[in-house]
Amino acid sequence: MKEMRKKLNEIIYISRVTQVTKKRLRIIFSVILSNTTVILDILIILYFAYIITGETTENTYIIFFVEKIYLLPLIILFRYASNFIEKMNIISLQLQVEKNLRVYLIKEVYKKGNYSIADATFYINTLSGHVGFFYGAFTAFLNSTVQIIIYSAFLLTTSTEIILIFAGGGLVLFFPTRKLLRLGRKYMHESWINAQQTGRDVQRVVENIFLIKILGTSESEISRYEKTTQLLQDSQLKNQAYGITNSLMPNFITVFTISILFIFTNLTKVVTLEFLGVTLRLVQTVGALNTSLNMMINSQIHLSKFIELENNKLIERSEYYLVEKNLSQSIELSGIDFKYFRSDEYIFEDLNINFYKNKHTVITGPNGSGKSTLLGIISKIFYPEKGSVKINSNKIGYVGVTPLIINSTLRENFLYGNEAIKSDEEIEKLMKEFELFNEDEKGLDTVVDSKSLSSGQMQKISFIRSLLADTELLLLDESTSNLDTETKDLIFKILEEKAITIINSTHNKDDFKYDYHVNISYSNGKRNIDYL
């Protein structure tokens, strides 16, 4: 009971998060339409039974309808129209929930920042789809439940003894149904784990494609991915097999039992054509009920994972990030605790560090030590669990190892994200200062992309973009690792003349003239930060 209450609370919470209005009304509308279809199905069965046998029930209202044969085409038309509207209503609801959740999740990924590409892609694209899918499964479950009640009520009015036998058979079916549902859930959980691993394997290849090709390890990487996808396929196949078995079992057992009874008993003298037709529709609906239960249980795993993601949700703290113009330092970090999503290891614990105003500080440390993470915390890309950041300016520039170049004009590339008004003369002056094109000068309306520029030119554009934004704090993350010595010297000669704070994450501190050196060391699972 406690577990059921927990699941219900999860559903209610996620329902609020979706921000889709009138969900209850749309689900109720779908149930009404679906069960209108049931009543029409019974009428259609009675019509055909009357046409074939010339007999009908003693119910006055049913006789009134059935004897008016000309209504049959209209009833069939109305039945399929109701069915179409009901299905489109739920599909529309599912897609709207999925869309709203995608927008909601990408906002959370953007705000918190501590997600891997694989996790972010999986949660935004796949998880949102499965949560939307839950609403369709839940509506199908309600539809099937009410349909079973209606079919059973009709059958009780025709043959109480036989329907009681069927009810006993339903109780017998309960136990294998429960077992199959549990097995389906088990393999859905395995599918979830394997699907996430396939995403990580793809990310691993994409992020390291140069190294993989150069070292000739592509076959082992492909083999690794093939094994993961095989595990995913196996778990999905088993989940589907148990779900299909659960769906087909009631219909198979009922039809098989009726066929045996017809052969070896005098059932044909007791059962009417309409009773048989409605009974078959009843057991089909029981199969549909099992299918919807399987779908709900499958989706429940994704609802639980959504709650896990919500527990990582950004909780705004007004005192966390403060811009203080009169701050004596450029940056003050106090008591910072930070770890990535789904990781038990803290990158930083109780981190306290200051950076001096208008000085060039290099940050060194081995791969994985947290250099880039530190820049992310300073720039508010990453949001720590504890601690505070004080900064003397919100005019922050960033240049990473991979420059951002958009397929557009040089002017738009220089002014991307810049709210300040800059004249062409200011831009052209910096282009000459940085020797962007040397002799082959290009106008600001020249269209460029990452293929028409050299790596040095792309990095120069990134530095020019930062300076045009009147940057007072410039964050560099291996920003010159792909540049030759002459280009590095030119860029930093220009930067030395600017009154800006530079924090430079690098593996090669000797390539720069700097004022301060911060080193991040990693030993025994802890990171130590030292001024050298």
Side-chain angles (χ1 to χ4, degrees), residues 10 17 111 146 158 162 208 227 238 300 399-400 423 460:
E10 287 179 358
V17 168
K111 285 191 286 187
V146 178
T158 56
I162 296 177
N208 300 284
K227 287 177 183 176
K238 287 176 182 176
Q300 189 63 55
V399 181
S423 66
K460 286 178 179 180

Side-chain angles (χ1 to χ4, degrees), residues 5-57:
R5 193 180 297 113
K6 178 187 173 186
K7 297 299 181 188
L8 182 61
N9 289 335
E10 287 179 358
I11 293 166
I12 293 170
Y13 175 78
I14 294 170
S15 186
R16 289 174 185 156
V17 168
T18 62
Q19 294 184 341
V20 176
T21 59
K22 300 179 181 178
K23 288 191 291 294
R24 290 181 187 174
L25 285 175
R26 292 177 71 172
I27 290 172
I28 292 169
F29 177 61
S30 184
V31 171
I32 291 170
L33 283 177
S34 178
N35 289 286
T36 300
T37 302
V38 171
I39 294 169
L40 296 174
D41 275 344
I42 293 173
L43 270 175
I44 291 167
I45 291 169
L46 292 173
Y47 266 110
F48 281 112
Y50 176 69
I51 291 168
I52 293 169
T53 65
E55 297 177 0
T56 184
T57 67

Side-chain angles (χ1 to χ4, degrees), residues 46 49 95 98 175 178 197 228 244 440 445 456 458 495-496:
L46 292 173
L95 292 174
E98 183 178 342
F175 298 100
R178 184 174 64 173
Q197 188 57 48
T228 307
I244 291 169
D440 185 22
D445 293 318
M458 289 192 287
L495 293 179
E496 283 173 12

Side-chain angles (χ1 to χ4, degrees), residues 466-515:
S466 292
L467 295 179
L468 285 169
D470 300 324
T471 294
E472 294 177 356
L473 169 61
L474 182 59
L475 305 177
L476 307 178
D477 192 0
E478 298 294 343
S479 60
T480 58
S481 58
N482 296 327
L483 304 180
D484 57 63
T485 303
E486 185 180 343
T487 304
K488 288 179 189 176
D489 291 343
L490 171 65
I491 290 172
F492 276 87
K493 183 181 177 183
I494 295 169
L495 293 179
E496 283 173 12
E497 298 171 0
K498 310 293 181 183
I500 58 176
T501 302
I502 300 173
I503 301 178
N504 184 3
S505 169
T506 180
H507 285 291
N508 303 304
K509 64 180 177 60
D510 296 331
D511 289 349
F512 308 97
K513 292 179 182 178
Y514 54 85
D515 300 298

Side-chain angles (χ1 to χ4, degrees), residues 83-200:
N83 198 18
F84 175 80
I85 294 169
E86 182 268 324
K87 291 185 183 304
M88 288 303 299
N89 174 54
I90 288 305
I91 290 171
S92 171
L93 176 61
Q94 284 182 220
L95 292 174
Q96 195 172 351
V97 167
E98 183 178 342
K99 186 266 290 182
N100 284 16
L101 279 179
R102 283 187 174 187
V103 174
Y104 175 83
L105 289 172
I106 200 167
K107 286 179 180 177
E108 286 304 315
V109 167
Y110 175 79
K111 285 191 286 187
K112 191 72 179 280
N114 65 343
Y115 299 88
S116 68
I117 294 171
D119 278 342
T121 303
F122 191 86
Y123 275 89
I124 292 167
N125 291 335
T126 306
L127 180 67
S128 57
H130 280 283
V131 173
F133 184 69
F134 172 82
Y135 285 90
F138 179 66
T139 306
F141 171 75
L142 291 179
N143 287 343
S144 298
T145 302
V146 178
Q147 286 171 13
I148 288 170
I149 293 170
I150 294 173
Y151 285 132
S152 299
F154 175 82
L155 293 175
L156 278 170
T157 63
T158 56
S159 179
T160 307
E161 295 82 3
I162 296 177
I163 196 64
L164 288 174
I165 293 171
F166 286 162
L171 290 174
V172 172
L173 283 173
F174 170 78
F175 298 100
T177 296
R178 184 174 64 173
K179 179 68 175 176
L180 289 167
L181 287 172
R182 286 177 175 175
L183 287 168
R185 190 184 195 286
K186 173 188 172 183
Y187 288 109
M188 189 64 214
H189 181 70
E190 286 188 13
S191 295
W192 164 268
I193 293 169
N194 293 328
Q196 283 207 306
Q197 188 57 48
T198 58
R200 294 191 190 99

Side-chain angles (χ1 to χ4, degrees), residues 387-521:
S388 65
V389 177
K390 291 182 180 178
I391 190 166
N392 75 331
S393 174
N394 57 5
K395 293 183 178 180
I396 301 174
Y398 172 83
V399 181
V401 66
T402 305
L404 170 65
I405 300 296
I406 57 175
N407 188 359
S408 187
T409 63
L410 278 169
R411 182 184 289 101
E412 287 190 45
N413 272 280
F414 288 132
L415 299 179
Y416 179 81
N418 193 342
E419 296 179 358
I421 298 173
K422 297 293 176 179
S423 66
D424 288 357
E425 289 75 16
E426 287 179 89
I427 300 172
E428 288 165 353
K429 181 183 176 184
L430 281 172
M431 286 172 64
K432 288 179 181 176
E433 225 178 315
F434 276 84
E435 299 176 6
L436 184 58
F437 295 111
N438 293 324
E439 297 176 1
D440 185 22
E441 291 295 336
K442 289 181 170 58
L444 291 175
D445 293 318
T446 303
V447 176
V448 296
D449 58 27
S450 58
K451 293 181 176 62
S452 64
L453 299 167
S454 69
S455 59
Q457 288 169 333
M458 289 192 287
Q459 285 297 59
K460 286 178 179 180
I461 288 173
S462 296
F463 279 99
I464 293 170
R465 181 189 296 134
S466 292
L467 295 179
L468 285 169
D470 300 324
T471 294
E472 294 177 356
L473 169 61
L474 182 59
L475 305 177
L476 307 178
D477 192 0
E478 298 294 343
S479 60
T480 58
S481 58
N482 296 327
L483 304 180
D484 57 63
T485 303
E486 185 180 343
T487 304
K488 288 179 189 176
D489 291 343
L490 171 65
I491 290 172
F492 276 87
K493 183 181 177 183
I494 295 169
L495 293 179
E496 283 173 12
E497 298 171 0
K498 310 293 181 183
I500 58 176
T501 302
I502 300 173
I503 301 178
N504 184 3
S505 169
T506 180
H507 285 291
N508 303 304
K509 64 180 177 60
D510 296 331
D511 289 349
F512 308 97
K513 292 179 182 178
Y514 54 85
D515 300 298
Y516 298 99
H517 175 202
V518 171
N519 184 65
I520 305 176
S521 58

